[in-house]
Amino acid sequence: MAVDYAVIVLYLAGMLAMGWWGMRRAKSKSDFLVAGRRLGPAMYSGTMAAIVLGGASTIGGVGLGYRYGLSGAWMVFTIGLGLLALSVFFSARIARLKVYTVSEMLDLRYGGSAGIISGVVMWAYTLMLAVTSTIAYATIFDVLFGLDRSLSIILGGAIVVAYSTLGGMWSITLTDMVQFVVKTIGVLLLLLPIAVIKAGGFAEMKAQLPDDYFAPLGIGGQTVFTYVLIYSFGMLIGQDIWQRVFTARSDKVARLGGTAAGTYCLAYALAGAVIGTAAKVLYPHLGSPDDAFATIVKDALPVGVRGLVLAAALSAVMSTSSGALIACATVAHNDIWARVKGIAAMRRKPDPGDSGAAPTADGAGERAEAPDEVRGNRAFILLMGLAVIVIALALNNVVEALTLAYNVLVGGLLVPILGGLLWKRGTAAGALASVAVGGLTVIGLMVSLGVLANEPIYYGLLASLVAYVGVSLATPPTDAAVLAAWRARLAGHSDGAPEGEPEGDTAGSVASALRPPSAAGRA
């Protein structure tokens, strides 16, 4: 195992080095949160594929293949379908908005009154996503080094928090690109063919296993439908995914690069299911399907290759964990903390000598705060990272935590987000009602029927839709000036930034662009 250990240690050291390098490029808020909105097609597609294909898609995808056969690909397949839908139908207009968070998009669309509640919901989702990804380190480091659960979580979490805090999205982008290459080589080019050959080829696999293992819907039609609702729709609205869309150099890069990443996800889904099916032939009596990945890696691969494939699993977890962490910190700092500071500033009596600049917590103008933007966001990544590690140490049921996060996200935010993009009659009151009714319906049904039941997301989405349409039609339409500013942003036109100044590069231009007429004076 010495060679395998050396591969892993070099890999982890490389991740920290990438974080240090990324720190030198993160000079502004735009650099730190969205990599300066400068990614081209290759880096964009690679990093997008890296963030959506995490430990659940790798270790969990192989486990589903072990349990259900080829139909076990459906979970990861629906993730790919959601990414394809996002890229083809929505990514171009999302990229043109030049915002940092989903809540800022809702503020822009509905006139500055829907963001705070959506920010809290999105923060809870990204926090739990980061926690569940961090817990996955326990499985991998146990296989690698025999470390106990707590030490594994602290070690893996500390490395991700370190490189994410140093360079923000630039560090995460660089590390994700390396992780994408490692995953491609380790899982698709090495583990997949070796597993099939070890199992005797497809003919032998088919002879050894029941026919259900090769049926397209062997996992169950209702399960597939639930996967679509949770994961495909979750891809359309998650802050962690949108924040990657914001890194695209242009709307064309967002569309084409995202389409390439989504197609890659479909191939990765099938590969995981095939590997799991091969593991069922080789090891028919494992204690848990989730042990299939580690077992086939340890027993079927040669020295060196084994270390690379385990590094691929580690990279899958790290990419999702770091993406969720920066999304969580971005929402906490920009959608929650900044609004709290803004409310406090608005309640202060104005200084007679005030120059008219928008007040902040320390009384300075927005542009004067620009040098502190990176420092503030860096501090929040560190704070959220520490919180994620602490929660991961205390939490045991990963599946229930992740299901809860996705159900509340999709049940509460899918309708107002897609409604804002597709239906001009939607109003702020309708959006708020949709978030509240959908979220409470999902939570109530999960309490009564169980977290893993299918019904909460079904009825939650229906209730959210009814509330959105009904309340929107019963309330006055959105102010025409707000809709005009919204349409201008969707078309890629500036809404307040000085001519020639790229939006998102300074605190002032972002604040100006995000302040629609009815939200004037907000921090």
Side-chain angles (χ1 to χ4, degrees), residues 64-223:
L64 287 172
Y66 183 89
R67 184 175 180 184
Y68 297 106
L70 298 186
S71 66
W74 273 109
M75 184 189 77
V76 184
F77 204 82
T78 55
I79 290 174
L81 291 177
L83 185 53
L84 284 172
L86 174 72
S87 302
V88 172
F89 298 111
F90 300 108
S91 64
R93 63 181 85 180
I94 291 171
R96 287 195 292 264
L97 289 174
K98 294 292 190 291
V99 295
Y100 291 106
T101 69
V102 174
S103 296
E104 288 175 2
M105 167 263 169
L106 291 172
D107 270 354
L108 191 64
R109 167 60 179 83
Y110 293 112
S113 58
I116 185 65
I117 295 179
S118 65
V120 173
V121 174
M122 190 65 74
W123 173 78
Y125 156 73
T126 53
L127 179 69
M128 293 312 300
L129 183 61
V131 166
T132 54
S133 300
T134 302
I135 291 174
Y137 296 128
T139 300
I140 297 174
F141 280 108
D142 176 54
V143 173
L144 290 175
F145 306 116
L147 298 179
D148 68 28
R149 179 182 184 274
S150 297
L151 188 56
S152 299
I153 289 172
I154 293 172
L155 176 60
I159 292 172
V160 169
V161 171
Y163 73 69
S164 300
T165 301
L166 285 172
M169 186 59 82
W170 267 122
S171 293
I172 294 171
T173 296
L174 295 171
T175 55
D176 276 0
M177 199 62 201
V178 174
Q179 290 160 356
F180 170 73
V181 173
V182 171
K183 277 192 291 192
T184 301
I185 296 173
V187 176
L188 295 183
L189 301 184
L190 293 177
L191 183 57
L192 174 61
I194 290 174
V196 172
I197 292 170
K198 289 281 186 180
F202 285 104
E204 183 64 20
M205 290 163 59
K206 197 161 187 179
Q208 293 285 336
L209 297 172
D211 291 341
D212 287 349
Y213 268 70
F214 302 91
L217 294 177
I219 198 171
Q222 187 179 26
T223 299

Side-chain angles (χ1 to χ4, degrees), residues 202-249:
F202 285 104
E204 183 64 20
M205 290 163 59
K206 197 161 187 179
Q208 293 285 336
L209 297 172
D211 291 341
D212 287 349
Y213 268 70
F214 302 91
L217 294 177
I219 198 171
Q222 187 179 26
T223 299
V224 174
F225 181 63
T226 303
Y227 282 162
V228 170
L229 289 183
I230 294 177
Y231 296 113
S232 295
F233 286 159
M235 288 295 105
L236 298 181
I237 59 175
Q239 169 68 25
D240 51 326
I241 308 303
W242 277 42
Q243 199 156 341
R244 294 309 173 98
V245 176
F246 300 151
T247 66
R249 185 171 60 205

Side-chain angles (χ1 to χ4, degrees), residues 499-517:
E499 184 69 27
E501 179 183 349
E503 288 185 83
D505 285 347
T506 67
S509 64
V510 171
S512 175
L514 292 180
R515 190 177 299 110

Side-chain angles (χ1 to χ4, degrees), residues 57 111 325 435 502 516:
S57 300
L325 176 59
V435 173

Side-chain angles (χ1 to χ4, degrees), residues 108-111 477-489 495 515-519:
L108 191 64
R109 167 60 179 83
Y110 293 112
T478 304
D479 185 89
V482 172
L483 286 178
W486 166 254
R487 286 192 292 267
R489 290 293 286 273
D495 184 22
R515 190 177 299 110
S518 62

